[in-house]
Amino acid sequence: MAYLSRVRQIRTEQGTDPVSDYDFDLITIGAGSGGVRASRLAASFGAKVAVIEEMREGGTCVLRGCVPKKLFVYGSHFGHDLEDGAGYGWSADNVRHDWPKMIAAKEKELDRLHGIYVNLLENAGATRIHGRGTVVDAHTVAVGDKRYTAEKILIAVGGWPSIPESVEGKEHVITSNEALELPERPDRIVIVGSGFIAVEFAGIFNSFGSETHLVYRADKVLRGFDEDVRNTLTEELTKKGMHLHSGVLPDRIEKVGDAYKVHMNDGSVIEADQVMYATGRHPNTKGLGLAEAGVELDRNGAIKVNEWSQTSVPSIFAVGDVTNRINLTPVAIAEGHCFAETQFNNNPRQADHSDVPSAVFSQPPIGTVGLTEAEAREIYGAIDVYVAGFRPMKYTLTDNPERGMQKLIVDRASDRVVGAHMVGLDAPEIIQGIGIAIKAGATKAEFDATIGIHPTAAEEFVTMRTKRPDPEERQAAE
């Protein structure tokens, strides 16, 4: 018998059950990945759980993010694969793409996944409540004119795309949400932003054949990533025919018939059929009643939590993107799991936010884990850096000019590998394995002692022997 079930049985027999005055042991607001994991585990431990969702169970990742986006990425590759196939003797005539058919297939898959999430909750014994949940006080949540009480409340409402208020004509733009549901593919699209969502959608539309303009304020894409990653991807995006507009932003978006004119702050104008903003996401806390209930938020609306995902109100907790810690689905799931174990299974656990691997499904894709070179220098001082550029073997017989990059960052004092970065085919799949090694504290000597699998791109991570000259040490020597 689960811990909580046994405790409740004893308390009921003794007439001392302290949670009997509440409707539920746990009310979760938000049925995304983190909220569902926490809720179904808590229910499996014997808790009486209610999950409130105003849209569909599944959340951003399943319905508006990771899953449909990755399906679009897969779909966009086939055209290039056919082109590359010519180098291997394949020929394909009269090839065309049916965009509405892909949208319909995507929707069918999302319906299937939504059903799985519903079943996960119902099979665990959780009560599903449809509507917008708002926090009334430390133990009360309102849905419409109904109120529900619980010993604990979990906020797992995720984030939502942001569009700057200063943009004139913002009513004409779409976000990643709408981009995944367009009934037709735009012939020309302007994407504003340089983060992972921006470069992923730029790759998608460009590969499907849209004239793609990427507009951003920075000098290169992916601020916050390792500089070699940024430089490599910027170069590869250009090689693929995307139009990169760095150091500029739109001032005004003008609708002209069925198209748009994007007036830039440098005086230039870009004409497009769609304008998409991918300039960030904000925690979805507006109108949730959190501040009024005493829950402390940061200036961006994210919920402040401690290492146990507990807010400033002891009975209210939060996991996932709404806390703006590491905004990745597996992290939200881990946080939800730890919350349930700690609060409902007498097994205190904290989510580990160190050395979390991540990927950008740009074209070419990126995999990264650990520290960037700049971060490693700041923390360790003396480091060794190994970098290798490569052309994927797949493209040897083709005209495809794509190249990749792999990089290891090593703490010189301990020889421990503290960062690994890759741009190129299969980078996310490869970095998942490298992430295990870095999490385990592997040294460069242990990487070197590992036999590579040949011929693969992954083997480069265990064959890099030449250090890149340290610019600071070289300057000091001169």
Side-chain angles (χ1 to χ4, degrees), residues 133-173:
T134 57
V135 177
V136 177
D137 58 40
H139 297 282
T140 309
V141 176
V143 181
D145 58 359
K146 294 184 178 180
R147 294 196 173 194
Y148 304 91
T149 60
E151 181 187 18
K152 295 179 174 67
I153 297 170
L154 176 66
I155 310 298
V157 294
W160 202 255
S162 298
I163 302 174
E165 291 293 335
S166 59
V167 178
E168 183 180 345
K170 62 178 290 186
E171 67 272 13
H172 301 311
V173 311

Coordinates of all heavy atoms in Angstrom, one line a residue, residues 133-173:
G133 N -8.8 27.9 -13.8 CA -8.6 27.9 -12.3 C -7.9 29.2 -11.9 O -6.9 29.6 -12.4
T134 N -8.4 29.8 -10.8 CA -7.8 31.0 -10.2 C -7.6 30.7 -8.7 O -8.5 30.1 -8.1 CB -8.6 32.3 -10.5 OG1 -9.9 32.1 -10.0 CG2 -8.6 32.6 -11.9
V135 N -6.5 31.2 -8.2 CA -6.3 31.0 -6.7 C -7.0 32.0 -5.9 O -6.9 33.2 -6.2 CB -4.8 31.1 -6.5 CG1 -4.5 30.9 -5.0 CG2 -4.0 30.0 -7.3
V136 N -7.8 31.6 -5.0 CA -8.5 32.5 -4.1 C -7.7 32.8 -2.8 O -7.6 33.9 -2.4 CB -9.9 31.9 -3.7 CG1 -10.7 32.8 -2.8 CG2 -10.7 31.7 -5.0
D137 N -7.2 31.7 -2.2 CA -6.4 31.8 -1.0 C -5.5 30.6 -0.9 O -5.4 29.8 -1.9 CB -7.2 32.0 0.2 CG -8.2 30.9 0.5 OD1 -7.8 29.7 0.2 OD2 -9.3 31.1 0.9
A138 N -4.8 30.4 0.2 CA -3.8 29.4 0.3 C -4.3 28.0 0.1 O -3.6 27.1 -0.2 CB -3.2 29.5 1.7
H139 N -5.6 27.8 0.2 CA -6.2 26.4 0.1 C -7.4 26.4 -0.8 O -8.1 25.4 -0.9 CB -6.6 25.9 1.4 CG -5.4 25.7 2.4 ND1 -4.5 24.6 2.3 CD2 -5.0 26.5 3.4 CE1 -3.6 24.8 3.2 NE2 -3.8 25.9 3.9
T140 N -7.7 27.5 -1.6 CA -8.9 27.5 -2.4 C -8.7 27.9 -3.8 O -7.9 28.9 -4.1 CB -9.9 28.5 -1.7 OG1 -10.1 28.2 -0.4 CG2 -11.3 28.4 -2.4
V141 N -9.3 27.2 -4.7 CA -9.2 27.6 -6.2 C -10.6 27.7 -6.7 O -11.5 26.9 -6.4 CB -8.5 26.4 -6.9 CG1 -8.5 26.7 -8.4 CG2 -7.0 26.3 -6.4
A142 N -10.8 28.7 -7.5 CA -12.1 29.0 -8.1 C -12.1 28.6 -9.6 O -11.1 28.9 -10.3 CB -12.5 30.4 -8.0
V143 N -13.2 27.9 -10.0 CA -13.4 27.7 -11.5 C -14.8 28.1 -11.8 O -15.8 27.5 -11.4 CB -13.2 26.2 -11.8 CG1 -13.4 25.9 -13.3 CG2 -11.8 25.7 -11.3
G144 N -14.9 29.3 -12.5 CA -16.2 29.9 -12.7 C -16.8 30.2 -11.4 O -16.1 30.9 -10.5
D145 N -18.0 29.8 -11.1 CA -18.7 30.2 -9.8 C -18.5 29.1 -8.8 O -19.1 29.1 -7.7 CB -20.1 30.5 -10.1 CG -20.9 29.3 -10.7 OD1 -20.3 28.3 -11.0 OD2 -22.1 29.5 -10.9
K146 N -17.7 28.1 -9.1 CA -17.5 27.0 -8.1 C -16.1 27.2 -7.4 O -15.2 27.7 -8.0 CB -17.5 25.6 -8.8 CG -18.9 25.3 -9.4 CD -18.9 23.9 -10.0 CE -20.2 23.5 -10.6 NZ -20.3 22.1 -11.1
R147 N -16.1 26.7 -6.2 CA -14.8 26.8 -5.4 C -14.5 25.4 -4.9 O -15.3 24.6 -4.5 CB -15.0 27.8 -4.2 CG -15.1 29.2 -4.7 CD -14.9 30.2 -3.6 NE -14.9 31.6 -4.1 CZ -14.4 32.6 -3.4 NH1 -13.9 32.4 -2.2 NH2 -14.5 33.8 -3.9
Y148 N -13.2 25.1 -5.0 CA -12.7 23.8 -4.5 C -11.5 24.1 -3.5 O -10.7 25.0 -3.7 CB -12.1 23.0 -5.7 CG -13.1 22.8 -6.8 CD1 -13.2 23.7 -7.9 CD2 -14.0 21.7 -6.8 CE1 -14.2 23.5 -8.9 CE2 -14.9 21.5 -7.8 CZ -15.0 22.4 -8.8 OH -15.9 22.1 -9.8
T149 N -11.4 23.2 -2.5 CA -10.3 23.4 -1.5 C -9.4 22.2 -1.5 O -9.8 21.1 -1.9 CB -10.9 23.6 -0.1 OG1 -11.7 22.4 0.2 CG2 -11.8 24.8 0.0
A150 N -8.2 22.5 -1.1 CA -7.1 21.4 -1.1 C -6.1 21.7 0.0 O -5.8 22.9 0.3 CB -6.5 21.2 -2.4
E151 N -5.5 20.7 0.5 CA -4.4 20.9 1.4 C -3.2 21.6 0.7 O -2.6 22.5 1.3 CB -3.9 19.6 2.0 CG -2.8 19.7 3.0 CD -2.2 18.4 3.5 OE1 -2.5 17.4 2.8 OE2 -1.6 18.4 4.5
K152 N -3.0 21.2 -0.5 CA -1.9 21.8 -1.3 C -2.4 22.1 -2.7 O -3.3 21.5 -3.3 CB -0.7 20.8 -1.4 CG 0.0 20.5 -0.1 CD 1.1 19.5 -0.3 CE 1.9 19.3 1.1 NZ 1.0 18.6 2.1
I153 N -1.8 23.2 -3.2 CA -2.1 23.7 -4.6 C -0.8 23.7 -5.4 O 0.2 24.2 -4.9 CB -2.7 25.1 -4.6 CG1 -4.1 25.0 -3.8 CG2 -2.9 25.6 -6.0 CD1 -4.7 26.4 -3.6
L154 N -0.9 23.1 -6.6 CA 0.3 23.1 -7.5 C 0.0 23.9 -8.7 O -1.0 23.7 -9.4 CB 0.7 21.7 -7.9 CG 1.8 21.6 -8.9 CD1 3.1 22.1 -8.3 CD2 2.0 20.1 -9.4
I155 N 0.8 24.9 -9.1 CA 0.6 25.7 -10.3 C 1.6 25.2 -11.3 O 2.8 25.2 -11.1 CB 0.9 27.2 -10.0 CG1 0.2 27.7 -8.7 CG2 0.6 28.1 -11.2 CD1 -1.3 27.6 -8.8
A156 N 1.0 24.8 -12.5 CA 1.8 24.2 -13.6 C 1.2 24.7 -14.9 O 0.9 23.9 -15.8 CB 1.8 22.7 -13.5
V157 N 1.1 26.0 -15.0 CA 0.4 26.6 -16.2 C 1.3 27.0 -17.3 O 0.9 27.5 -18.4 CB -0.5 27.8 -15.8 CG1 -1.6 27.4 -14.9 CG2 0.4 28.9 -15.1
G158 N 2.6 26.8 -17.2 CA 3.6 27.0 -18.2 C 3.7 28.4 -18.7 O 3.5 29.4 -17.9
G159 N 4.1 28.6 -19.9 CA 4.3 30.0 -20.5 C 3.5 30.2 -21.7 O 2.8 29.3 -22.2
W160 N 3.6 31.4 -22.3 CA 2.9 31.8 -23.4 C 3.7 32.8 -24.3 O 4.5 33.6 -23.7 CB 1.6 32.5 -23.0 CG 0.5 32.5 -24.0 CD1 0.1 33.5 -24.8 CD2 -0.3 31.4 -24.4 NE1 -0.9 33.1 -25.6 CE2 -1.2 31.8 -25.4 CE3 -0.4 30.0 -24.0 CZ2 -2.1 31.0 -26.0 CZ3 -1.3 29.2 -24.6 CH2 -2.1 29.6 -25.6
P161 N 3.6 32.7 -25.6 CA 4.4 33.6 -26.4 C 4.2 35.1 -26.1 O 3.0 35.5 -25.8 CB 3.9 33.3 -27.9 CG 3.4 31.9 -27.8 CD 2.7 31.8 -26.4
S162 N 5.3 35.9 -26.2 CA 5.2 37.3 -26.0 C 5.4 38.1 -27.2 O 6.2 37.7 -28.1 CB 6.3 37.8 -25.0 OG 6.2 37.1 -23.7
I163 N 4.6 39.2 -27.4 CA 4.8 40.1 -28.5 C 4.9 41.5 -27.9 O 4.1 41.9 -27.1 CB 3.5 40.1 -29.4 CG1 3.3 38.7 -30.0 CG2 3.7 41.1 -30.6 CD1 2.0 38.6 -30.8
P164 N 6.0 42.2 -28.2 CA 6.3 43.5 -27.6 C 5.1 44.5 -27.8 O 4.5 44.6 -28.9 CB 7.5 44.0 -28.4 CG 8.2 42.8 -28.9 CD 7.1 41.8 -29.2
E165 N 4.7 45.2 -26.8 CA 3.6 46.1 -26.9 C 3.9 47.3 -27.8 O 2.9 47.9 -28.4 CB 3.2 46.6 -25.5 CG 2.7 45.6 -24.5 CD 1.3 45.1 -25.0 OE1 0.6 45.9 -25.7 OE2 0.9 44.0 -24.6
S166 N 5.1 47.6 -28.0 CA 5.5 48.8 -28.8 C 5.4 48.6 -30.3 O 5.5 49.6 -31.0 CB 7.0 49.2 -28.4 OG 7.8 48.1 -28.8
V167 N 5.1 47.4 -30.7 CA 5.0 47.1 -32.2 C 3.7 47.7 -32.7 O 2.7 47.2 -32.4 CB 5.2 45.6 -32.5 CG1 5.1 45.4 -34.0 CG2 6.5 45.1 -31.9
E168 N 3.8 48.6 -33.7 CA 2.7 49.1 -34.3 C 2.2 48.1 -35.4 O 3.0 47.7 -36.2 CB 3.0 50.4 -35.0 CG 1.7 51.1 -35.7 CD 2.1 52.4 -36.3 OE1 3.2 53.0 -36.0 OE2 1.3 52.9 -37.2
G169 N 1.0 47.7 -35.3 CA 0.5 46.7 -36.2 C 0.6 45.3 -35.7 O 0.6 44.3 -36.4
K170 N 0.8 45.1 -34.4 CA 1.0 43.8 -33.8 C -0.2 42.9 -34.0 O -0.1 41.7 -33.9 CB 1.3 44.0 -32.3 CG 0.2 44.6 -31.5 CD 0.6 44.7 -30.0 CE 0.6 43.3 -29.4 NZ 0.8 43.3 -27.9
E171 N -1.4 43.5 -34.2 CA -2.5 42.7 -34.5 C -2.4 41.8 -35.7 O -3.2 40.9 -35.9 CB -3.8 43.5 -34.5 CG -3.9 44.5 -35.8 CD -3.2 45.8 -35.5 OE1 -2.4 45.9 -34.5 OE2 -3.4 46.7 -36.4
H172 N -1.4 42.1 -36.6 CA -1.3 41.4 -37.8 C -0.3 40.2 -37.7 O -0.2 39.4 -38.6 CB -0.7 42.3 -38.9 CG -1.6 43.5 -39.2 ND1 -2.9 43.4 -39.4 CD2 -1.3 44.8 -39.3 CE1 -3.5 44.6 -39.7 NE2 -2.5 45.5 -39.6
V173 N 0.3 40.0 -36.6 CA 1.4 39.0 -36.5 C 0.9 37.7 -35.9 O -0.2 37.7 -35.2 CB 2.6 39.5 -35.7 CG1 3.0 40.9 -36.1 CG2 2.3 39.6 -34.2

